[in-house]
Amino acid sequence: MSIENINFKNTLIEEESLDPDDWEELKTLGHHMVDVMLDHLRNQRNYPVWRKPTEQVKSSLSQSLPLTASKREEVFHEFEENILPYAKGSIHPRFWGWVEGGGTPFGMLADMLASGMNSNLGIGDHSAIYVELQVINWIKEFIGFPMEASGILVSGGSVANFTGLTVARNSIPGTHIRTKGLYESASRLIVYGSSETHSCIQKSIEALGLGSDSFIKIPVEENYKIDLNLLQQAIDNDRKNGNTPFCIVGNAGTVNTGAIDPLNELAEIAKKEQLWFHVDGAFGAFSAVVDELKEEINGLNKADSLAVDLHKWMCMPYEAGCILIKNKTLHRNAFNIEPPYLVAHERGLAAGPESFNNYGIQLSRGFRALKVWMSLKEHGSEKYKRIILQNIAQAKYLEHLINKCDKLELMAPVSLNIVCFRFNNGALTDNELNTLNSEIMMTLHEKGIAITTYTFLQNRYALRVANVNHRSRKEDFDLLVNSVLEIAGNLVEAISVKRTVAVD
Ligand SMILES: *Cc1c(COP(=O)(O)O)cnc(C)c1O
């Protein structure tokens, strides 16, 4: 069979489309769907944070491909029954897992509008492009990044970091990596960052063909900030060994503990050594808006490239991240390409501002800028400032609760919005505490009380609260602490019963 077998006379008898036959019926259902979702968001506090997907749910989601139409009401009903109740929970007031923002109702509606418009922001002269250019400028203005910088919205921090590091790699003086690849030079290209750097940086370095051995993880000091002396030594060492250092990655808020590297000092070293200075500010960059933290995060604006996330501390619905590049020409030089089907025209839809395709890896791009634009207008930047400050103050409050309780141990300094702690009654070994605290966390989840996640700090298991939650209140942290103590009490009792039995 081939295209010759398709006869348009036989096929085009009754043409159809994917739009509804009955628009009024869809409008009724659509209004109902919006109501259900807004009520769901409004009532989150009454629901468990998390429910394990049941066997019935999983089997309902492993069916074969539907061949024929289902009623829309029935499809939505299945969503209500099998999908919505078993969500990850990031919209709940007691979700503090990984670093995940809670989204907003208006942001959700914005996503619906964007989806309806179905604009592709790769190229063209249309409103959505101007919205994206607008919000990129707002982000620079908000965090105090130089206004001449270029930028592009991406899916999140990982792709933002990848994009920044691609520009860094393609901008190494004396190389022609876009044409020659990495084969031109026998010298290894080296990136530095602290041992606390997010794993997506290593992934980027691997994907960029540099090899993870080219990422030198510099040890941190006690406060989890990069050790500057060891960084300098590593650079000197690499130069001596004939390697080519080209980039320093600074952390503005590490994922483990929220530590902010000394950015000014890193910028100075980068300048002196003529290296690219990239900053991963996925969530922490936004602490630059809080007056009390301006000094701590000083130097952020000296980055050659800065990766930020909007779906974390800015609470935009997934997905939204942004990369800012100080030198627009270098940004463009890293990605620009103009095949015959993408040539810019003087007039018509194929004209307009320069294509975003010249500034990133994606050609087709969704209208994620709309939720950013609508949300910033809905609240104004001052409100976001207050929410960020509120989250930090709540972290300090949790720190205070932990320090006040002799059975809880703070595991790292609270330098931003991340609190690492564990239950420790002083009677158990580190190994036993690791098991016990991981049991505590799993029980917290299973009971639907709260979502904390975890990390290992010096091989010790820590419960980790990352607070970018605009719905949390003080009492939620009281409940967390009380629940941890209660669960731990029961578990410790079970351990001592087991020990007694073993001795008997
Ligand atoms: C979350 C995070 C990332 C990765 O961002 P995604 O949006 O999850 O891709 C990178 N760096 C830090 C510090 C993060 O917290």
Side-chain angles (χ1 to χ4, degrees):
M1 296 294 256
S2 73
I3 191 149
E4 265 86 65
N5 298 92
I6 296 176
N7 178 334
F8 71 83
K9 281 186 204 153
N10 296 343
T11 308
L12 301 182
I13 296 165
E14 210 173 329
E15 289 161 285
E16 46 180 7
S17 92
L18 299 172
D19 283 335
D21 294 327
D22 185 344
W23 282 90
E24 290 307 317
E25 184 200 303
L26 181 65
K27 272 164 77 174
T28 307
L29 177 63
H31 290 149
H32 172 64
M33 285 164 67
V34 169
D35 282 344
V36 165
M37 207 59 211
L38 290 178
D39 284 340
H40 183 74
L41 288 168
R42 180 191 203 162
N43 297 326
Q44 268 307 296
R45 201 165 266 287
N46 306 327
Y47 301 144
V49 189
W50 177 76
R51 270 186 243 183
K52 183 177 160 56
T54 61
E55 288 313 312
Q56 188 269 325
V57 163
K58 286 188 254 182
S59 78
S60 81
L61 294 170
S62 53
Q63 308 285 315
S64 56
L65 173 71
L67 297 179
T68 54
S70 308
K71 283 207 161 58
R72 289 186 195 89
E73 292 77 20
E74 282 166 17
V75 177
F76 180 61
H77 182 69
E78 264 196 67
F79 165 79
E80 276 189 289
E81 287 290 303
N82 293 335
I83 299 175
L84 184 59
Y86 305 95
K88 194 167 185 185
S90 65
I91 51 182
H92 193 281
R94 285 188 301 280
F95 184 99
W96 304 296
W98 300 281
V99 190
E100 300 199 5
T104 64
F106 199 53
M108 166 194 112
L109 295 172
D111 255 353
M112 185 187 75
L113 303 182
S115 201
M117 283 176 75
N118 197 34
S119 293
N120 180 336
L121 280 75
I123 188 166
D125 196 2
H126 52 107
S127 55
I129 298 273
Y130 297 94
V131 174
E132 178 154 345
L133 290 168
Q134 168 73 96
V135 301
I136 289 166
N137 277 335
W138 282 351
I139 294 165
K140 290 183 254 177
E141 199 179 327
F142 193 35
I143 57 181
F145 204 70
M147 290 307 286
E148 74 267 17
S150 52
I152 184 168
L153 296 189
V154 293
S155 59
S158 302
V159 174
N161 280 305
F162 176 77
T163 308
L165 291 173
T166 305
V167 180
R169 186 203 62 174
N170 290 5
S171 304
I172 302 171
T175 65
H176 311 86
I177 287 176
R178 281 192 69 182
T179 46
K180 308 285 182 209
L182 296 170
Y183 301 105
E184 218 181 1
S185 139
S187 171
R188 194 178 257 283
L189 303 171
I190 309 283
V191 184
Y192 306 88
S194 90
S195 55
E196 293 291 296
T197 305
H198 194 276
S199 59
C200 74
I201 298 285
Q202 176 173 330
K203 243 195 213 179
S204 297
I205 288 166
E206 291 168 4
L208 287 168
L210 304 171
S212 57
D213 287 355
S214 300
F215 180 41
I216 309 299
K217 293 179 182 164
I218 308 294
V220 288
E221 298 183 329
E222 246 162 49
N223 50 17
Y224 294 95
K225 297 171 189 233
I226 190 167
D227 185 319
L228 293 169
N229 290 326
L230 293 179
L231 169 65
Q232 186 64 59
Q233 279 173 28
I235 297 171
D236 296 344
N237 236 0
D238 276 314
R239 293 219 193 273
K240 217 168 52 201
N241 294 333
N243 294 328
T244 305
F246 80 95
C247 179
I248 296 175
V249 176
N251 291 294
T254 60
V255 66
N256 268 340
T257 71
I260 300 170
D261 284 332
L263 301 176
N264 261 326
E265 286 80 354
L266 288 181
E268 246 166 64
I269 295 175
K271 192 169 174 203
K272 179 172 66 98
E273 298 284 345
Q274 296 187 311
L275 309 178
W276 187 275
F277 182 36
H278 174 80
V279 173
D280 178 5
F283 65 95
F286 289 99
S287 61
V289 305
V290 176
D291 290 332
E292 289 83 345
L293 285 167
K294 287 241 158 82
E295 203 166 312
E296 178 94 20
I297 198 131
N298 207 345
L300 188 74
N301 54 358
K302 294 185 182 148
D304 293 302
S305 48
L306 171 64
V308 301
D309 252 325
L310 299 163
H311 52 218
K312 290 179 174 172
W313 228 344
M314 292 299 284
C315 310
M316 310 284 169
Y318 283 92
E319 304 167 342
C322 179
I323 179 74
L324 299 172
I325 309 278
K326 193 177 272 168
N327 183 326
K328 182 176 177 175
T329 307
L330 293 180
H331 188 181
R332 184 176 193 282
N333 288 348
F335 292 107
N336 73 311
I337 195 158
E338 201 174 58
Y341 41 88
L342 295 177
V343 172
H345 282 56
E346 277 167 41
R347 300 191 320 278
L349 178 58
E354 189 184 4
S355 165
F356 275 109
N357 185 44
N358 285 342
Y359 294 88
I361 201 74
Q362 275 185 285
L363 173 55
S364 291
R365 306 171 60 248
F367 193 8
R368 45 171 71 95
L370 186 63
K371 62 193 165 203
V372 184
W373 183 80
M374 288 182 74
S375 302
L376 280 165
K377 276 188 166 282
E378 180 194 14
H379 296 295
S381 64
E382 291 293 325
K383 175 86 174 261
Y384 285 94
K385 235 188 221 190
R386 294 199 298 276
I387 295 282
I388 289 166
L389 180 62
Q390 172 175 306
N391 285 157
I392 297 170
Q394 287 165 336
K396 304 284 290 180
Y397 177 66
L398 177 58
E399 178 189 32
H400 162 79
L401 293 178
I402 292 162
N403 284 337
K404 206 170 70 166
C405 174
D406 58 7
K407 289 191 177 137
L408 297 178
E409 179 188 2
L410 193 70
M411 302 293 281
V414 178
S415 51
L416 213 54
N417 58 337
I418 295 184
V419 184
C420 294
F421 70 105
R422 66 175 177 178
F423 175 85
N424 183 357
N425 60 1
L428 300 167
T429 65
D430 265 339
N431 266 344
E432 286 171 323
L433 287 174
N434 288 354
T435 312
L436 177 67
N437 280 280
S438 107
E439 274 298 323
I440 293 173
M441 193 197 75
M442 292 188 284
T443 310
L444 274 176
H445 292 186
E446 283 171 341
K447 286 179 180 278
I449 300 170
I451 300 292
T452 76
T453 46
Y454 45 86
T455 191
F456 282 89
L457 296 168
Q458 276 132 28
N459 295 325
R460 291 178 305 179
Y461 188 94
L463 302 169
R464 178 175 156 287
V465 168
N467 186 23
V468 290
N469 194 327
H470 65 92
R471 298 185 176 100
S472 300
R473 300 183 200 142
K474 229 168 109 197
E475 72 224 40
D476 292 312
F477 298 95
D478 294 328
L479 182 66
L480 170 68
V481 164
N482 292 336
S483 306
V484 166
L485 291 173
E486 191 188 319
I487 295 168
N490 294 336
L491 290 169
V492 169
E493 210 166 283
I495 293 176
S496 62
V497 168
K498 231 194 268 168
R499 273 189 183 164
T500 321
V501 172
V503 172
D504 288 351

